[in-house]
Amino acid sequence: MNNQQTLSIDCNKEEDIFKFAPNKIFTKLYDTGLPGKGVFHAAHSACEYKEHSYEQHGIFVHLKPEHNSLRRMGDSVEIENVNVGDMAIIPANVNHWQRIDTKQNEAVVLTIEPHVISHIARETVNPDSVELLPTFAKPDGLIQNIAFSLKANLDSGSYDKLYAESLFNALSMHLLTHYCTRKIKLQDCGNGLAPFKLKQILELINDSL
């Protein structure tokens, strides 16, 4: 499928999320109140996605297992057998297609605008050189815990915006240090998250789950 036929999906718009998955069961788009940082929860039956790309970086954390799903990102294709908690990273503007044969599928999706990642990277490297790597489904305990903590916070009825922002900051740093085209060692910066604060956040996530 050529670029003119590829759907461009804004993950902040529920109607856009419906465009690429024909079998819609459930979707919930949360209001995080954090510019450039979003969360949505989606579930659907077996289907074949329409070719699409996201305007935001999408981090998908699976809530149900999938067997023999076929995923294509850019020019790479892989068969995935997904366990609960496995995550996949679909960077912004990367063509994505998937065929899922498992009867019921469910995921919580964290979305980050590219400029948010660039802002955090600005003090360490040229942000124009930072690109997230397309990553097929694999386990990552930290990303799983961040996703589950964000969803629990949003579902709690007493949403803590500051806690959510700290989780997104930790997520962004983790992506920069482990899922970029070049390895980045983040340093302390005046307008960023201090290392001791990041350490406290990560300890809180691991202790509470």
Side-chain angles (χ1 to χ4, degrees):
M1 184 174 287
N2 62 43
N3 290 333
Q4 290 183 340
Q5 296 173 302
T6 301
L7 294 171
S8 179
I9 303 299
D10 183 347
C11 295
N12 297 314
K13 298 178 180 178
E14 193 170 34
E15 61 270 22
D16 270 23
I17 297 171
F18 287 149
K19 288 179 181 178
F20 66 88
N23 298 333
K24 300 177 287 290
I25 297 177
F26 168 83
T27 186
K28 182 176 182 179
L29 184 63
Y30 292 95
D31 180 10
T32 65
L34 302 172
K37 303 167 185 177
V39 178
F40 71 87
H41 177 197
H44 58 77
S45 58
C47 68
E48 180 175 321
Y49 288 172
K50 298 175 182 177
E51 182 113 2
H52 62 280
S53 65
Y54 300 113
E55 295 180 12
Q56 297 82 15
H57 300 309
I59 299 89
F60 288 69
V61 178
H62 296 267
L63 301 180
K64 290 188 177 180
E66 295 176 12
H67 305 289
N68 297 319
S69 294
L70 184 63
R71 189 195 301 269
R72 183 175 71 244
M73 285 192 279
D75 296 325
S76 299
V77 180
E78 193 166 306
I79 295 174
E80 297 178 324
N81 288 293
V82 178
N83 296 310
V84 173
D86 284 358
M87 67 89 206
I89 300 171
I90 305 170
N93 304 314
V94 170
N95 283 8
H96 177 245
W97 170 90
Q98 192 172 17
R99 189 188 70 220
I100 303 173
D101 295 328
T102 305
K103 185 176 180 180
Q104 298 290 337
N105 310 278
E106 189 173 358
V108 58
V109 186
L110 313 181
T111 64
I112 304 176
E113 295 282 355
H115 70 81
V116 173
I117 296 291
S118 295
H119 174 75
I120 292 175
R122 186 169 292 119
E123 296 297 326
T124 55
V125 296
N126 178 359
D128 294 334
S129 68
V130 173
E131 293 183 16
L132 288 188
L133 288 168
T135 304
F136 290 93
K138 59 179 287 187
D140 186 310
L142 180 59
I143 290 180
Q144 174 186 333
N145 287 348
I146 288 174
F148 289 177
S149 296
L150 279 167
K151 186 177 183 302
N153 184 22
L154 287 159
D155 286 334
S156 67
S158 55
Y159 174 57
D160 187 333
K161 184 177 175 181
L162 182 59
Y163 177 51
E165 185 169 25
S166 298
L167 289 171
F168 267 109
N169 286 338
L171 172 64
S172 298
M173 290 183 174
H174 186 65
L175 293 174
L176 282 168
T177 53
H178 295 283
Y179 296 101
C180 273
T181 51
R182 57 182 295 184
K183 297 300 181 183
I184 297 171
K185 184 178 180 180
L186 291 174
Q187 302 171 355
D188 188 17
C189 55
N191 61 351
L193 191 66
F196 80 92
K197 289 185 178 179
L198 175 60
K199 184 174 183 293
Q200 289 176 342
I201 292 166
L202 299 183
E203 288 176 349
L204 177 61
I205 293 169
N206 290 322
D207 290 345
S208 63
L209 293 173

